[in-house]
Amino acid sequence: MPVEFLGIAATNNGSETTPRTGGSFDKDYTIRLARAHEDHGWDRVLFAYGSGSPEPASAAAYLAAKLDKLQILLAHRPNVSYPTFAAKTFATLDQISDGRLTVHFITGGTDHEQQREGDYLTKDQRYGRTREYIQIVKKAWLSREAFDHDGEHYHFADFVSDVFPVQQPRPKVSFGGSSPAAYEAGGAEADIFCLWGEPLAETAQQIESVKQAARNASRTDVPKIQVAFRPIIAPTEELAWEKAYRTLDRIEARKANGPLSRRHSLTNPENTGSQRLLAVAERGERFDRALWTPTAKATGGAGNSNALVGTPETVAQALLDYYDLGVEILSARGYDLLDDAIDFGRYVIPLVREEVAKRDRARAA
């Protein structure tokens, strides 16, 4: 079973530990960070979405025109454009990138963040809309004949696109979430289902929930599983843990000077994924081989926030534990975005790939 590595395509050098030093869209830094991923063994990078952040499809097109190999995962929220327009945007970007695009559809877990761009649907309504949106985008990618649509959220007539993706039959669709509604929608529509890093037992339960949702939708396949972590590595275990606690101190120092994000509550997150991360953190700081929860607790379970701490060998073995559960895509993002991407690519990715190759050879034998 192959393994893939997903990094972050940040448009500036800011993180939970470090305020950015320039504008929100630093073109030179965007390419420098992406090239570091491309040069150090990563497969793709994520362009995330935020209501006030640089528009990710434009940033992704800029990267695609500059780099030749790195694949792109583009986050998109259905409330910001009509699905027929989005389908053309994605197809055009797949053309620009010569077939390197995957689209990650975000339903939105925070009412306040959604309302910043005029989205006042409830969370359950948003999941229904996302599912309908994905179905329309897929059809627009595939259909060479005009078609009508009369759904709960979208109505149009006689649409046919004149631009199609390079990838055949279409680009992959990525989806994430930790609620029953998320499992249902993603299990039915996604090629990739994304989870945040939790202990192995909880991750196994979530994987089974996704598989069951796919079966309920009468699929003959199941989505690939992606799990995300914040790696903190150093040459020795002692140095890694010293680095981990310094990282936590820097997060707390940034919080003392103001909110880390306008998108997320530190104490009462609305989305199930963040609630799960905080619940795990309440149970303890360390789980399994290397999972460490204080970074998630300090940020209110904001997104990918549980860490893996240790030497490259320890972190690689921890990632392999998830691979052995059936995780095929490993997402990682450090707190020093550039240097950590280089270190992880240089010291961790080769170890994981080597062990995966050994497992594949043994399985084939």
Side-chain angles (χ1 to χ4, degrees), residues 202-282:
E202 283 82 352
T203 301
Q205 292 168 359
Q206 287 193 286
I207 291 172
E208 181 52 38
S209 295
V210 174
K211 290 181 176 179
Q212 184 59 54
R215 290 191 290 266
N216 293 345
S218 300
R219 288 180 60 167
T220 57
D221 64 340
V222 295
K224 287 186 176 182
I225 301 296
Q226 172 184 305
V227 179
F229 302 96
R230 306 300 292 269
I232 300 174
I233 62 172
T236 68
E237 295 293 327
E238 181 180 8
L239 290 174
W241 285 105
E242 289 177 2
K243 183 178 178 181
Y245 284 105
R246 285 199 309 273
T247 298
L248 185 60
D249 288 343
R250 292 171 66 191
I251 293 173
E252 295 293 352
R254 281 216 67 195
K255 284 168 56 179
N257 292 323
L260 292 174
S261 172
R262 296 181 66 245
R263 287 187 268 163
H264 186 86
S265 169
L266 294 180
T267 54
N268 296 297
E270 296 174 30
N271 59 308
T272 303
S274 294
Q275 293 168 5
R276 288 177 63 101
L277 295 187
L278 292 182
V280 170
E282 287 300 314

Side-chain angles (χ1 to χ4, degrees), residues 31 34 38 47 57-72 92-98 100-101:
I31 294 302
E38 185 171 82
F47 279 93
S58 301
Y62 175 70
L63 183 153
K66 298 286 185 179
L67 301 182
D68 297 325
K69 296 183 298 181
L70 194 65
Q71 297 177 53
I72 295 164
T92 304
L93 183 51
D94 201 53
Q95 292 280 347
I96 293 170
S97 67
D98 295 319
R100 287 180 280 151
L101 178 69

Side-chain angles (χ1 to χ4, degrees), residues 13-50:
N13 64 349
S15 76
E16 297 93 330
T17 61
T18 308
R20 73 183 191 223
T21 57
S24 61
F25 184 30
D26 181 333
K27 293 192 295 182
D28 292 339
Y29 185 84
T30 299
I31 294 302
R32 186 181 176 195
L33 179 62
R35 186 166 285 119
H37 283 85
E38 185 171 82
D39 291 345
H40 290 89
W42 298 79
D43 296 288
R44 61 171 57 85
V45 288
L46 166 67
F47 279 93
Y49 191 94

Side-chain angles (χ1 to χ4, degrees), residues 70-239:
L70 194 65
Q71 297 177 53
I72 295 164
L73 177 60
L74 176 67
H76 180 77
R77 292 206 308 220
N79 60 293
V80 299
S81 69
Y82 210 75
T84 50
F85 176 84
K88 294 185 296 180
T89 300
F90 303 147
T92 304
L93 183 51
D94 201 53
Q95 292 280 347
I96 293 170
S97 67
D98 295 319
R100 287 180 280 151
L101 178 69
T102 299
V103 183
H104 180 66
F105 290 91
I106 301 174
T107 298
T110 304
D111 290 347
H112 187 201
E113 168 68 5
Q114 295 298 122
Q115 290 166 7
R116 287 190 170 114
E117 293 188 288
D119 185 8
Y120 285 85
L121 295 186
T122 66
K123 187 176 179 180
D124 286 344
Q125 289 173 327
R126 293 199 298 267
Y127 273 113
R129 177 183 61 191
T130 300
R131 193 166 175 178
E132 183 178 344
Y133 196 99
I134 293 172
Q135 291 167 351
I136 293 168
V137 168
K138 287 178 179 177
K139 190 168 184 178
W141 282 340
L142 297 171
S143 178
R144 268 54 177 178
E145 301 294 332
F147 65 95
D148 303 338
H149 181 83
D150 185 17
E152 181 179 357
H153 300 280
Y154 300 105
H155 310 270
F156 57 85
D158 203 37
F159 175 80
V160 63
S161 180
D162 195 32
V163 57
F164 296 95
V166 171
Q167 296 176 76
Q168 295 298 315
R170 58 171 176 78
K172 295 290 191 295
V173 166
S174 172
F175 192 89
S178 296
S179 66
Y183 300 144
E184 180 181 357
E189 299 296 340
D191 303 297
I192 300 166
F193 198 99
C194 307
L195 303 170
W196 292 331
E198 295 186 14
L200 290 164
E202 283 82 352
T203 301
Q205 292 168 359
Q206 287 193 286
I207 291 172
E208 181 52 38
S209 295
V210 174
K211 290 181 176 179
Q212 184 59 54
R215 290 191 290 266
N216 293 345
S218 300
R219 288 180 60 167
T220 57
D221 64 340
V222 295
K224 287 186 176 182
I225 301 296
Q226 172 184 305
V227 179
F229 302 96
R230 306 300 292 269
I232 300 174
I233 62 172
T236 68
E237 295 293 327
E238 181 180 8
L239 290 174

